[in-house]
Amino acid sequence: MLKDFDFDQVDNRYDNFKRSALGDQLDQLQRIVQRLDIPVLILVDGWESSGKGFVINDLTRELDPRYVRVEVFEQPNAQEQDYPSVWRFWRKIPSRREMVVYDRSFYYQVFNHDQRTDEKLSQRVDELLSLEKILIDDETIVIKLFLNVTQETQKENIKRLEKSNRNQLLLSDEDYRQNDDYCGHQEWFDKVLKATDLPYSHWNIIAAEDLKLASKTVLGLVIEQITAGIEQITLRRSGKDDLPQHVFNADSLPLDEVDITLKLSNKEYDKQLETLQKQASELVYECYVKKIPIVLAFEGVDAAGKGGAIKRLTRHIDPRSYKIYGINAPNQVESLFHYLWRFQIEMPQDNEMVIFDRSWYGRVLVERVEGFVHQTAWERAYDEINQMEAVLTNHGTVVMKFFLYIDADEQAKRFQARLDEAEKNYKITSEDWRNREKWNEYIEAMNEMLVRTNTPHAPWYIVPGQDKYYARVQVLKHFIEHIKAHLTTREE
């Protein structure tokens, strides 16, 4: 790509266009994608001192500033280093009303600061391409631009910037390092570009020797690719009704194998509970000291006792070390983003524990069963979720998922009890009764979820919840065993 790049054969298709005319075209496209709920993400990478700021300024000049954002990414700061590498990019993705430009994208770290090893490149590329594909599958138009300059031009640009009264802002040690070792950086950039150049997401290599021509070229390419993206997404939307019926086959169904007769006496419950709670507290503190983040997701049949289990789990844990998020339907703002966004931005930093009372699995449960999203969306969610959890565990996060199960008769009893006891009325809604009418569809979706997202790094713990005492103790035991195993593996 870069090694074979011929600066004498630059793309000059747009040289005769007026920059203002191209800007007006892009402004019109901004209104179209906004009307169609299509987010646009433009990644601007390239050599340091290659004119990224100049190009981005021209790119965004004519756009409605209320619906365009420019996000600048450099090396992660101290806080960002305490999260998985993609966390800071998830926080800044475009909503369905926005065009967002990344000045240095999620590939900047790979280009400039990661270890130059095949192993590190493979890990990072897997994470970043997964994020990119998740966004593209969710109908985001992603455009990747790399500004290319010769060593001589970069050196001249550096000298010019040195004379600027803003040189401390515009120049860094990275500019000089790249120019001093131009060939070494070029070879590595080339390797990264080839590893991340895909049929559905190409890199556009832009000759930036002449910045005015480069700016027009970027505008023209962005216009072309947004126009093509609109056409592809519109066609994809019109063809969704032609999908075959979803079929799920499994040798065994996890919920059929749950022994709901398991019980614990009051005496045995009281004997075990506090000891287990103190063990859990000590382990969470050890994870805090060792900067190990913990993510817990609680799912289950309505009224199966998720809240009670969470309350008993956290009884002796320092409340400053964890956060609990009760998940409901996405609000107006959350609905404008990818469904994983609202969970990604709440993931814990390296010394925290986060508990989700209901989670991202709503995509393959309630949103699937109630028809809130199309079949294509929830079908691909299994892989998206597995990938997200793999990124968390690769970072060193402990990920545990608890599924509490009761049968239909027990659920009916608990629903009625909530109606009969005034202090529990808030726990029952008309939606609970409506969901109960679709019991079989929910059980089918739950079984498929448990089979397709149970992984060694992020296992499901299926807990019989017919007896609340038994369920609470089992959650604590699974939690303790899992944390201990993680700590042991980490020390080996």
Side-chain angles (χ1 to χ4, degrees):
M1 299 185 91
L2 296 188
K3 285 186 175 182
D4 301 326
F5 191 85
D6 187 350
F7 284 96
D8 294 327
Q9 297 294 323
V10 297
D11 185 349
N12 59 5
R13 284 176 292 164
Y14 309 100
D15 196 19
N16 294 324
F17 284 80
K18 288 186 177 180
R19 197 221 63 82
S20 58
L22 292 169
D24 288 341
Q25 286 186 53
L26 187 56
D27 177 50
Q28 293 171 16
L29 283 173
Q30 182 188 29
R31 291 193 292 274
I32 292 171
V33 291
Q34 186 178 27
R35 187 173 69 248
L36 294 173
D37 283 343
I38 298 175
V40 177
L41 178 60
I42 303 170
L43 313 182
V44 182
D45 281 290
W47 294 90
E48 295 302 300
S49 298
S50 61
K52 292 188 288 291
F54 182 96
V55 167
I56 291 170
N57 183 59
D58 265 11
L59 184 63
T60 59
R61 186 183 301 173
E62 307 300 334
L63 300 177
D64 187 332
R66 295 171 298 173
Y67 304 107
V68 63
R69 280 189 283 123
V70 176
E71 301 289 352
V72 181
F73 293 101
E74 296 180 336
Q75 282 188 277
N77 60 33
Q79 181 196 27
E80 292 165 343
Q81 288 174 4
D82 284 345
Y83 290 89
S85 60
V86 296
W87 175 80
R88 61 183 180 141
F89 303 108
W90 266 106
R91 294 177 67 229
K92 304 295 186 180
I93 64 171
S95 74
R96 300 188 194 285
R97 295 285 188 272
E98 292 179 303
M99 294 176 68
V100 171
V101 179
Y102 283 0
D103 178 0
R104 301 185 182 91
S105 73
F106 29 78
Y107 294 107
Y108 172 73
Q109 183 73 18
V110 195
F111 282 132
N112 293 292
H113 297 291
D114 277 350
Q115 293 177 331
R116 293 184 181 181
T117 64
D118 289 343
E119 182 180 1
K120 186 64 178 178
L121 178 60
S122 177
Q123 177 202 337
R124 189 75 79 185
V125 165
D126 283 348
E127 292 178 3
L128 298 180
L129 287 181
S130 294
L131 168 58
E132 191 177 308
K133 190 171 189 306
I134 281 173
L135 296 177
I136 291 171
D137 286 345
D138 196 49
E139 299 182 343
T140 300
I141 297 173
V142 177
I143 301 170
K144 300 194 294 195
L145 308 168
F146 187 96
L147 301 189
N148 194 21
V149 291
T150 63
Q151 185 175 16
E152 292 74 19
T153 298
Q154 186 186 41
K155 189 171 185 177
E156 290 172 7
N157 291 346
I158 290 172
K159 287 180 178 179
R160 188 179 69 256
L161 292 171
E162 286 174 336
K163 298 175 183 177
S164 168
N165 57 10
R166 294 193 296 163
N167 58 40
Q168 290 184 330
L169 174 65
L170 300 173
L171 286 172
S172 69
D173 291 342
E174 188 62 40
D175 298 69
Y176 296 98
R177 279 197 299 269
Q178 285 187 7
N179 196 250
D180 290 341
D181 182 25
Y182 184 89
C183 291
H185 280 81
Q186 184 188 59
E187 183 177 352
W188 179 249
F189 290 172
D190 209 49
K191 190 169 187 176
V192 175
L193 289 168
K194 287 176 179 175
T196 55
D197 186 63
L198 301 173
Y200 58 84
S201 179
H202 282 295
W203 277 104
N204 299 280
I205 312 298
I206 313 295
E209 300 287 286
D210 178 340
L211 274 181
K212 289 185 177 179
L213 177 57
S215 178
K216 288 183 181 181
T217 302
V218 165
L219 277 164
L221 286 170
V222 168
I223 289 167
E224 281 184 10
Q225 293 188 22
I226 290 178
T227 303
I230 291 170
E231 183 178 356
Q232 291 167 7
I233 290 167
T234 304
L235 285 172
R236 194 187 313 167
R237 288 176 179 177
S238 65
K240 282 183 175 179
D241 294 334
D242 300 330
L243 289 174
Q245 183 177 359
H246 178 76
V247 177
F248 168 65
N249 294 310
D251 295 334
S252 60
L253 300 178
L255 297 182
D256 287 350
E257 300 173 4
V258 178
D259 186 353
I260 59 174
T261 66
L262 294 170
K263 294 183 179 181
L264 203 62
S265 67
N266 290 11
K267 182 179 179 181
E268 192 61 29
Y269 175 70
D270 291 337
K271 179 182 176 181
Q272 294 187 46
L273 185 64
E274 189 163 358
T275 300
L276 292 170
Q277 288 173 331
K278 288 180 178 178
Q279 278 185 265
S281 175
E282 290 166 1
L283 287 168
V284 170
Y285 180 72
E286 186 174 352
C287 288
Y288 172 84
V289 170
K290 294 180 177 178
K291 299 199 72 169
I292 299 172
I294 303 170
V295 172
L296 307 183
F298 280 80
E299 294 287 350
V301 174
D302 288 340
K306 294 183 293 296
I310 293 170
K311 185 176 181 180
R312 272 68 183 187
L313 172 65
T314 58
R315 179 69 176 83
H316 286 291
I317 298 173
D318 188 332
R320 294 171 297 180
S321 65
Y322 69 85
K323 297 174 184 174
I324 300 175
Y325 296 103
I327 301 302
N328 297 308
N331 61 34
Q332 190 173 7
V333 172
E334 292 165 344
S335 296
L336 291 175
F337 288 88
H338 189 281
Y339 75 97
L340 289 176
W341 174 78
R342 62 177 176 147
F343 304 105
Q344 290 276 12
I345 62 175
E346 303 298 355
M347 289 302 174
Q349 63 184 72
D350 282 353
N351 58 357
E352 288 184 332
M353 178 168 75
V354 169
I355 302 171
F356 293 96
D357 181 357
R358 297 198 185 279
S359 68
W360 43 94
Y361 285 99
R363 173 60 48 126
V364 295
L365 293 177
V366 63
E367 293 182 29
R368 165 185 171 170
V369 174
E370 301 299 333
F372 295 151
V373 295
H374 195 272
Q375 177 182 326
T376 54
W378 60 257
E379 280 187 329
R380 69 170 182 264
Y382 301 107
D383 289 339
E384 293 172 347
I385 288 169
N386 286 338
Q387 177 62 29
M388 181 189 77
E389 292 171 354
V391 169
L392 288 170
T393 55
N394 286 340
H395 176 71
T397 306
V398 177
V399 179
M400 278 179 274
K401 302 173 304 196
F402 296 96
F403 187 91
L404 276 66
Y405 178 71
I406 56 176
D407 66 16
D409 292 339
E410 180 64 20
Q411 185 189 63
K413 291 177 186 176
R414 294 187 185 184
F415 277 8
Q416 191 59 49
R418 290 177 176 183
L419 286 174
D420 295 341
E421 299 176 41
E423 66 274 16
K424 292 185 179 180
N425 285 172
Y426 74 94
K427 291 186 175 183
I428 188 77
T429 67
S430 58
E431 186 176 318
D432 294 313
W433 289 107
R434 183 172 56 79
N435 290 350
R436 181 172 163 75
E437 293 174 2
K438 297 183 178 180
W439 174 271
N440 290 335
E441 290 113 301
Y442 273 101
I443 294 299
E444 179 183 352
M446 290 169 179
N447 272 315
E448 182 168 2
M449 174 194 76
L450 292 168
V451 169
R452 295 185 63 178
T453 61
N454 185 49
T455 59
H457 55 267
W460 277 107
Y461 293 105
I462 304 175
V463 179
Q466 208 87 343
D467 178 75
K468 291 182 179 181
Y469 290 166
Y470 180 84
R472 293 165 184 171
V473 166
Q474 285 303 303
V475 167
L476 277 158
K477 285 182 175 179
H478 287 311
F479 179 84
I480 291 165
E481 290 168 4
H482 191 108
I483 297 286
K484 282 183 175 179
H486 180 87
L487 289 169
T488 300
T489 303
R490 191 171 184 265
E491 291 170 1
E492 289 175 352

